[in-house]
Amino acid sequence: MVHPHFRPAPVALAMALALASLTGTAVAQSAAPAPIVSLSLSAQPLGSALNQLARQARLQLLVNPALVDGKQAPAVLGNLTVRQALGQLLAGSGLVADVKGAEVVVRRDVPPSGSDATLAPVTVTSQAVGLATSLKSKTSSGALGSRSVLDTPFSISSVGSDELEERLVTTTEQALRYDASTQLTGGEYGQSASFSVRGLGLDSSNGFKVDGLPVASWGNTMPMEPFERVDLLKGLSGFMYGFGAPGGTVNYVLKRPTEETQASVAVGYKSGSLWSEHLDMGGRFGEDKRFGYRFNLAHEEGDTYVNRGKLDRTTVSLAMDARLTNDLTATFDVLYSKRRSSGNNFWGVDLSALQAMPTPVDPTLATQPEGSYYNTVDRIATAGLQWRFAPDWNANFSWRTTRRDIDYNYSTLYVNNLNGNYTADRGDYRFGSDYDVLQAMVQGKLHTSGIDHDLTFGVARQELTTHSDSASSYTANIGSGNIYTDSTLAITGSAADHPLYKSSVITQTALFASDTLSFNDKWSLILGARYTKFDQVSLNQAGTTTKRYERNPLTPTVALLFKPSTDTTLYVSAVESLEQGGTAGVTTANAYEVMGPITSRQYEVGYKIEHGNWSGSAALFWLDRTAEYTNAANYYVQDGITRYQGLDINGRLSLTRDLSLAGGVMLLDSTYVQNTSGLEGKRTTGTPHVQAALRADWRVAGVPGLGLSLGGKYVGSAAMNTTNSYNIAAYTVLEAGANYVTRISGKEVTFTGAIQNLADRQYWVYNGDNYAVPGAPRTLSLSARMAF
């Protein structure tokens, strides 16, 4: 049962948006003249020209790629309406465009009786005002293969590179901020800009993927520049991806080679004096443009908004492919990222002794001792082969190796009174993780006995090896201070050269299969299962096995889908999953003990709808998860169940051609059940009853190329500990942005500005049981980007 005590103002705001999205309330529009778009499109392939028009005019454009393949578009210049521009681009091509609001469908002028007439259109680009990603866009769903968000029986959010650039996003949490179910649980420049989904954290070992394959991601400091899109699959993913925490799975989609040569250069600034540069270029070369490349180079360096805080990071990525034949393509990708954060707020303050929330802290204060730092280095290499070996049948073979190295030297502040006095410890540590993955998957279609089958079969093996520090040091008390003044403490030393030993090896070997049975154009049933051989080994510094856990679970999923129309899906799904168990903390009586895998079960009933001017999704969910916590005897244990249940609504509404809204609301009730330590009925920590998000985007008709935005996120109050003895306060943070696209010397130039925490509000962010971190202050970001 959802808790009745909700804050009415933010709920009413988000519910109004959701209601408008899901009921399709008509929006009265005046008979104003069609908006004019200033265009300067060179003669080029028709598909590329349509993409550019969609980007500049903010259209959702649907077209079958086979229809535009090999066709050329003429140059289009001047101030034109969308219909006029489309008419010029499609002249002589045998194609016409149907324009309905912000949605454009390109089709043959007179559809023939052949196969092309029956092929479903696919999204070339989705660029309605506000840049909301279309539910008809395809996304990777692991063992379910690639399918549209609309036809996937789980809750999915997707954010494309255009929105990432327009909002000047630098973290995954920022990318997904306007999904109401996400909640910040860390700091941007600290150990990680982490976040939770529906009240649950993501699995650092299994919850983050690049192009559907896992990467070592403890700390969640993944750069944004190399990626075309960020997808979030909410809830359990055991069948789709194997072991993983039930919060969800983030999949980063790497930027791929472009059909035509293109390049862009951007420079940026961020408070206090943080400067960035970014180069993005791609294209094809060789006979018949057989070989493709996409190269990204980004650097950011300077002072952060924190006194004495600094950041220095570099990211390089290269994605290559070779079209060996019309049906066989080889790919090879590499990504390297190095990040050093010095003097920033790495981790929250410990309030366990206080059992109360002090007044929020000025986030620009230097809470860390001088000399503190946190380093991360990532290396990812991937090779793949995609083969269309028969009509409607494809095979995909992938290999990946990743390496993450982390070393740090920083302090935790233990607050002991409401005046903000604290004592500080110090710890230096280094560890590394290697992730090696092999996967083969086949996807195809069959028709038997009047039923269409969409089949996926696969086999995967992944091995995660963790290397721990054999020379770390820890000092319980290095001095004292006050959280309302700059720290006067200092620490020295580096863990970068500490020796490592192999401390853990987790091997997963899996077989998976799924079948989507389509009985007609309205009803379909998804059946799937994944068999995993799980082997977890813990070792000491001498290389001796100290603990081993083996299990061979079968994780099933079943979903029933009903489509009353092509743009609407109703579904009910059930899925089961396992995740790696936690490890007892250093201060517990069973310190460093590794728990066995945790079981979770999820049930979800959902509704999705996509129209040209509005779209929405709503999901009722119920999730039971084995509970882990430190009991009264100071032992870290697995005991009982935590239950998460609620309503998750998100939507988009174009009020006019130039004004749109996007956002949603989540209502959540999460409690301990079947517990033996007196926690039954208590709220789980860090889980607000209400979260809401809303963003408005306005294209200024009187100033071609100018767009403005205003948005906000509300996060309700949450329990800070398992006994619910005190709560963290609710907060609302506002953001604003401006985006201006023009042409200088014949080149497209984009100027972008964004302000986070517009009202400069001071607030606490939940950062773990009894931990809180200061929320970011008002932060200004600026960028100038030129496309070639």
Side-chain angles (χ1 to χ4, degrees):
M1 191 76 179
V2 176
H3 198 280
H5 303 298
F6 297 123
R7 293 284 294 275
V11 176
L13 186 65
M15 287 297 286
L17 168 64
L19 183 61
S21 297
L22 296 177
T23 59
T25 303
V27 179
Q29 299 191 30
S30 63
I36 301 298
V37 183
S38 180
L39 296 173
S40 179
L41 304 179
S42 60
Q44 58 188 299
L46 180 56
S48 299
L50 290 170
N51 270 322
Q52 290 186 28
L53 173 62
R55 182 171 64 250
Q56 295 182 38
R58 307 287 177 85
L59 299 172
Q60 177 181 298
L61 178 62
L62 304 176
V63 60
N64 184 340
L67 297 180
V68 297
D69 188 33
K71 290 183 170 64
Q72 288 291 120
V76 176
L77 303 172
N79 297 321
L80 305 170
T81 67
V82 169
R83 292 183 185 276
Q84 290 171 338
L86 286 166
Q88 292 189 29
L89 287 175
L90 299 176
S93 68
L95 305 176
V96 294
D98 297 325
V99 182
K100 297 180 180 179
E103 183 177 82
V104 176
V105 178
V106 176
R107 59 174 175 81
R108 288 190 183 278
D109 191 5
V110 180
S113 58
S115 59
D116 280 351
T118 61
L119 287 172
V122 298
T123 301
V124 170
T125 187
S126 176
Q127 292 282 108
V129 179
L131 302 174
T133 302
S134 169
L135 296 182
K136 296 178 182 178
S137 300
K138 287 202 171 185
T139 183
S140 173
S141 298
L144 283 179
S146 178
R147 59 180 64 206
S148 72
V149 175
L150 186 66
D151 295 328
T152 304
F154 305 99
S155 296
I156 294 177
S157 288
S158 186
V159 181
S161 60
D162 290 302
E163 181 175 347
L164 298 178
E165 292 173 1
E166 181 164 309
R167 289 172 45 209
L168 298 182
V169 164
T170 56
T171 70
T172 309
E173 183 277 327
Q174 291 175 13
L176 299 167
R177 183 166 292 177
Y178 288 99
D179 185 304
S181 69
T182 64
Q183 175 193 352
L184 176 66
T185 57
E188 178 176 357
Y189 304 125
Q191 177 194 25
S192 67
S194 56
F195 61 99
S196 64
V197 181
R198 294 179 176 176
L200 290 154
L202 274 64
D203 189 329
S204 60
S205 298
N206 299 288
F208 296 88
K209 319 287 182 183
V210 172
D211 292 330
L213 299 178
V215 292
S217 58
W218 192 86
N220 186 23
T221 53
M222 190 71 74
M224 293 291 102
E225 292 89 353
F227 301 112
E228 184 67 35
R229 197 177 73 242
V230 179
D231 297 334
L232 171 64
L233 170 65
K234 305 178 195 177
L236 300 189
S237 59
F239 159 67
M240 283 77 77
Y241 292 109
F243 272 55
T249 300
V250 171
N251 183 44
Y252 304 91
V253 180
L254 195 66
K255 291 178 178 176
R256 305 307 310 174
T258 54
E259 287 301 310
E260 302 299 322
T261 300
Q262 67 174 44
S264 67
V265 177
V267 293
Y269 165 85
K270 195 169 187 177
S271 310
S273 61
L274 195 58
W275 293 90
S276 62
E277 307 85 32
H278 178 207
L279 169 66
D280 180 1
M281 56 190 301
R284 307 200 69 83
F285 62 94
E287 184 180 356
D288 299 325
K289 294 187 176 182
R290 179 170 298 179
F291 303 101
Y293 67 94
R294 187 69 175 272
F295 176 74
N296 273 264
L297 173 62
H299 179 69
E300 187 175 27
E301 184 175 1
D303 298 332
T304 68
Y305 59 73
V306 178
N307 293 348
R308 304 197 303 258
K310 297 181 180 299
L311 184 71
D312 185 356
R313 69 177 184 91
T314 300
T315 298
V316 183
S317 70
L318 177 63
M320 298 177 288
D321 69 33
R323 296 169 177 169
L324 305 179
T325 70
N326 290 336
D327 299 319
L328 186 64
T329 301
T331 59
F332 182 71
D333 312 323
V334 292
L335 188 153
Y336 172 84
S337 180
K338 183 177 183 179
R339 176 183 183 268
R340 181 179 178 88
S341 180
S342 307
N344 293 295
N345 297 322
F346 299 112
W347 190 246
V349 295
D350 186 318
L351 304 174
S352 56
L354 190 59
Q355 296 289 288
M357 296 301 303
T359 303
V361 173
D362 179 354
T364 67
L365 292 174
T367 59
Q368 281 291 307
E370 192 167 357
S372 60
Y373 75 90
Y374 194 93
N375 280 348
T376 307
V377 180
D378 288 291
R379 306 169 188 86
I380 304 172
T382 311
L385 197 63
Q386 294 82 47
W387 178 31
R388 188 179 68 174
F389 58 91
D392 294 327
W393 284 90
N394 299 278
N396 185 301
F397 307 92
S398 302
W399 163 87
R400 168 171 294 162
T401 183
T402 75
R403 170 76 183 191
R404 164 160 281 204
D405 287 291
I406 292 176
D407 66 276
Y408 62 80
N409 189 8
Y410 68 74
S411 296
T412 298
L413 313 183
Y414 300 88
V415 182
N416 50 56
N417 60 45
L418 285 174
N419 293 325
N421 295 325
Y422 66 79
T423 59
D425 65 6
R426 183 207 65 85
D428 59 4
Y429 196 76
R430 177 190 175 205
F431 77 86
S433 55
D434 297 302
Y435 222 143
D436 296 305
V437 183
L438 283 170
Q439 179 173 286
M441 190 163 67
V442 176
Q443 186 173 6
K445 300 179 184 296
L446 288 177
H447 182 82
T448 61
S449 304
I451 300 175
D452 290 324
H453 298 265
D454 193 338
L455 299 163
T456 301
F457 305 96
V459 58
R461 187 182 190 278
Q462 56 192 57
E463 183 175 279
L464 173 62
T465 303
T466 302
H467 305 273
S468 296
D469 197 335
S470 59
S472 61
S473 63
Y474 174 78
T475 305
N477 190 340
I478 62 169
S480 59
N482 188 280
I483 60 175
Y484 301 110
T485 61
D486 285 326
S487 173
T488 59
L489 302 175
I491 57 178
T492 60
S494 169
D497 298 324
H498 285 188
L500 299 176
Y501 71 96
K502 185 188 296 184
S503 57
S504 172
V505 179
I506 299 175
T507 304
Q508 298 183 57
T509 304
L511 298 171
F512 55 87
S514 69
D515 185 5
T516 301
L517 299 90
S518 299
F519 304 104
N520 49 47
D521 59 355
K522 295 185 181 299
W523 289 96
S524 59
L525 176 69
I526 296 178
L527 300 173
R530 176 184 289 259
Y531 169 81
T532 303
K533 183 179 180 182
F534 181 89
D535 187 1
Q536 179 176 336
V537 178
S538 301
L539 306 100
N540 59 24
Q541 294 191 37
T544 303
T545 298
T546 58
K547 186 173 182 179
R548 186 163 199 156
Y549 193 98
E550 295 180 282
R551 193 165 179 179
N552 303 319
L554 183 69
T555 50
T557 191
V558 59
L560 181 65
L561 294 85
F562 173 63
K563 294 182 69 65
S565 63
T566 57
D567 56 11
T568 305
T569 302
L570 291 161
Y571 68 88
V572 56
S573 62
V575 63
E576 185 176 293
S577 184
L578 290 176
E579 63 180 291
Q580 180 182 345
T583 302
V586 64
T587 60
T588 60
N590 57 335
Y592 304 114
E593 181 181 352
V594 179
M595 302 289 108
I598 295 172
T599 302
S600 299
R601 293 178 178 85
Q602 174 184 288
Y603 307 93
E604 183 169 300
V605 178
Y607 174 72
K608 300 178 184 181
I609 187 166
E610 171 80 35
H611 280 292
N613 292 329
W614 59 278
S615 64
S617 64
L620 281 167
F621 60 90
W622 171 301
L623 188 150
D624 281 353
R625 180 196 194 196
T626 301
E628 281 190 340
Y629 59 92
T630 302
N631 64 19
N634 198 33
Y635 277 86
Y636 190 71
V637 297
Q638 292 181 351
D639 173 34
I641 292 173
T642 50
R643 178 165 294 161
Y644 298 78
Q645 53 188 336
L647 174 64
D648 182 2
I649 301 175
N650 287 278
R652 171 186 62 84
L653 174 63
S654 295
L655 295 171
T656 69
R657 181 68 180 79
D658 298 321
L659 179 63
S660 72
L661 301 176
V665 63
M666 183 187 70
L667 310 180
L668 175 66
D669 183 65
S670 57
T671 57
Y672 289 91
V673 296
Q674 300 177 17
N675 185 273
T676 62
S677 298
L679 299 180
E680 191 161 344
K682 298 288 188 182
R683 292 175 62 182
T684 58
T685 60
T687 51
H689 286 311
V690 181
Q691 293 180 188
L694 183 62
R695 173 181 165 93
D697 288 270
W698 175 43
R699 186 174 56 232
V700 183
V703 185
L706 177 63
L708 303 176
S709 66
L710 179 65
K713 184 72 172 278
Y714 170 81
V715 178
S717 175
M720 283 293 292
N721 57 9
T722 55
T723 59
N724 295 182
S725 62
Y726 70 115
N727 294 334
I728 190 170
Y731 63 88
T732 301
V733 178
L734 300 178
E735 300 177 350
N739 191 70
Y740 179 62
V741 182
T742 186
R743 300 193 75 84
I744 299 177
S745 299
K747 307 298 183 184
E748 182 180 286
V749 180
T750 304
F751 298 99
T752 307
I755 302 176
Q756 296 190 46
N757 195 357
L758 187 62
D760 201 22
R761 178 175 180 178
Q762 293 183 7
Y763 60 99
W764 288 111
V765 172
Y766 173 81
N767 196 33
D769 294 8
N770 293 306
Y771 282 85
V773 66
R778 181 189 295 124
T779 305
L780 172 66
S781 299
L782 300 172
S783 173
R785 179 182 302 274
M786 176 176 286
F788 298 91

